[in-house]
Amino acid sequence: MESIDFDVLNTALAWHEQGHRVLLGTVTHTWGSAPRPVGSMMAIRGDGHVRGSVSGGCVEDDLIRRIQGGELERTLPFALTYGLTADEAHRFGLPCGGTLEIMMEPVSAQSRIAELLAAVRQGLRVTRTLDLDTGAATLATDSEARQTVVQDRKLIAPYGPRYRLVIIGAAQMSRYVAQFALALDYQVIVCDPREEYLHEWDIPGVELSGEMPDDLLLRLQLDANSAVVTLTHDPKLDDMALIEALKSPAFYIGAIGSRTNNIKRRERLALFDISSAEIDKLHGPVGLFLGARTPPEIAIAVLAEMTAIRNGVSISQTHAARTDPLPDANANSGGNENSGGSCSVGEFSK
């Protein structure tokens, strides 16, 4: 669950407990272009206060007007559709041809939002099924639902823990990767048993760990919402993390370093109890091939590749797809504060 969804549900629950009339809106269908994807949510209070978003703002304005005017006083869930005509799409600021359907749910004790939030806080993946005929919700933790749908007069919506990124290494590169990941709403954990690196960390919102990388990953119990990126250039640390990460269901596992170093890394990993298929999950060199040279550029490449994979988008602009030889000028040139060895910043993107 992204933090904005968590915030919407938390707010809806708080408003309801304070005695307000509250509607919870969920985008359930889009046609053509749409400003917000299916599953996007908003909470709207009887006096017009709003948290979250289902469009670029014009639909919210219309909902505020209608709820303040008493037009949306219902006791059971109901659907609203915006953008059926060109005039309406223009009036509500929808893209050309865009139409969206929103399921509006009057929040009540039957909504079971408090139980849903408690389960998500425990790290559980929960599917909430709302009966559109009764307004009663049920929760299940063994469902395989992966997207919000309406079927058989039921709104089925999956919720789960936020995506999290574990970064191995706390030096310069990690700072940029962490900052971009925070902006993309990841829970970020930085692991580095080297005190001189970890004690210099000053970016708020990041969980720090001085554990050995393999111990941390075993404790975290990586799931399909997890990503791991190793950035130390120290095989004693990076490889320890990769050995555990590659055996997990993490959706993304990346390792920084040149193509040559990543070939050697794969050879080392093959000596452990890791299958070829598991080693093939490794993205190394990490990130999309953008010609990145500086740490901020490389961090963008890393998060871009993670985003594409997270969204199920096929990508071809990868380092693995390159066939040109590594330029001699970038091979083992100079030192780097991240590595404790011989690897230039130029090598990061090769």
Side-chain angles (χ1 to χ4, degrees):
M1 179 190 293
E2 297 186 2
S3 62
I4 188 170
D5 298 331
F6 199 89
D7 184 46
V8 168
L9 290 170
N10 248 325
T11 302
L13 177 63
W15 285 345
H16 170 68
E17 291 177 340
Q18 292 165 8
H20 293 281
R21 179 165 55 90
V22 183
L23 287 176
L24 181 64
T26 303
V27 177
T28 55
H29 205 116
T30 63
W31 296 265
S33 300
R36 297 282 283 136
V38 169
S40 299
M41 293 188 299
M42 65 171 287
I44 181 167
R45 209 165 73 180
D47 57 4
H49 285 249
V50 171
R51 186 64 59 92
S53 173
V54 292
S55 80
C58 294
V59 168
E60 285 83 352
D61 291 343
D62 184 66
L63 289 171
I64 290 172
R65 177 186 61 79
R66 294 171 72 176
I67 198 170
Q68 288 177 328
E71 184 181 340
L72 302 181
E73 290 191 15
R74 314 278 184 89
T75 58
L76 294 175
F78 57 98
L80 295 175
T81 303
Y82 286 90
L84 286 176
T85 66
D87 288 343
E88 190 177 47
H90 177 74
R91 181 161 66 94
F92 292 116
L94 297 172
C96 181
T99 301
L100 70 154
E101 179 185 81
I102 308 167
M103 188 61 65
M104 305 300 296
E105 173 192 353
V107 175
S108 69
Q110 291 190 108
S111 301
R112 302 185 66 179
I113 294 177
E115 295 170 69
L116 171 63
L117 292 172
V120 171
R121 288 191 185 98
Q122 294 174 23
L124 299 177
R125 181 178 293 278
V126 183
T127 296
R128 179 174 176 266
T129 300
L130 176 68
D131 188 319
L132 302 181
D133 293 322
T134 66
T138 58
L139 307 179
T141 57
D142 56 354
S143 170
E144 296 183 359
R146 287 294 179 268
Q147 61 183 6
T148 299
V149 296
V150 174
Q151 60 184 33
D152 300 328
R153 295 291 300 160
K154 291 179 174 58
L155 170 61
I156 302 170
Y159 300 93
R162 289 171 63 192
Y163 280 88
R164 60 181 173 179
L165 169 62
V166 182
I167 301 172
I168 309 301
Q172 183 188 42
M173 177 65 65
S174 302
R175 292 174 172 271
Y176 292 102
V177 174
Q179 287 173 321
F180 290 140
L182 288 171
L184 290 173
D185 200 34
Y186 282 84
Q187 173 192 0
V188 180
I189 304 168
V190 171
C191 173
D192 201 322
R194 304 169 299 181
E195 293 185 5
E196 63 273 21
Y197 285 90
L198 203 61
H199 286 176
E200 294 301 316
W201 193 270
D202 56 2
I203 296 176
V206 175
E207 179 183 335
L208 302 178
S209 170
E211 299 168 75
M212 295 303 292
D214 53 339
D215 291 336
L216 172 65
L217 297 188
L218 285 171
R219 177 174 66 81
L220 292 177
Q221 296 184 335
L222 299 176
D223 57 18
N225 280 18
S226 302
V228 177
V229 176
T230 64
L231 301 177
T232 74
H233 287 285
D234 183 347
K236 294 191 301 294
L237 298 177
D238 287 352
D239 288 5
M240 290 172 65
L242 293 174
I243 288 170
E244 297 302 331
L246 291 170
K247 293 185 288 186
S248 78
F251 79 91
Y252 184 88
I253 303 162
I256 205 166
S258 68
R259 283 178 287 164
T260 299
N261 285 342
N262 270 286
I263 290 171
K264 295 177 181 178
R265 174 179 286 120
R266 286 178 168 85
E267 292 172 349
R268 292 195 304 270
L269 292 171
L271 300 176
F272 294 87
D273 184 24
I274 306 176
S275 69
S276 297
E278 289 170 334
I279 293 176
D280 286 344
K281 292 161 54 178
L282 176 63
H283 294 269
V286 71
L288 294 185
F289 175 62
L290 305 178
R293 296 286 179 173
T294 66
E297 290 176 341
I298 298 160
I300 289 173
V302 172
L303 270 301
E305 186 172 52
M306 285 175 55
T307 301
I309 291 172
R310 171 178 164 176
N311 291 336
V313 175
S314 176
I315 52 177
S316 59
Q317 195 74 352
T318 64
H319 292 276
R322 300 184 66 207
T323 58
D324 55 309
L326 181 69
D328 291 339
N330 287 322
N332 298 325
S333 56
N336 180 291
E337 66 171 343
N338 281 6
S339 66
S342 56
C343 182
S344 70
V345 170
E347 278 192 83
F348 290 165
S349 61
K350 297 297 178 187

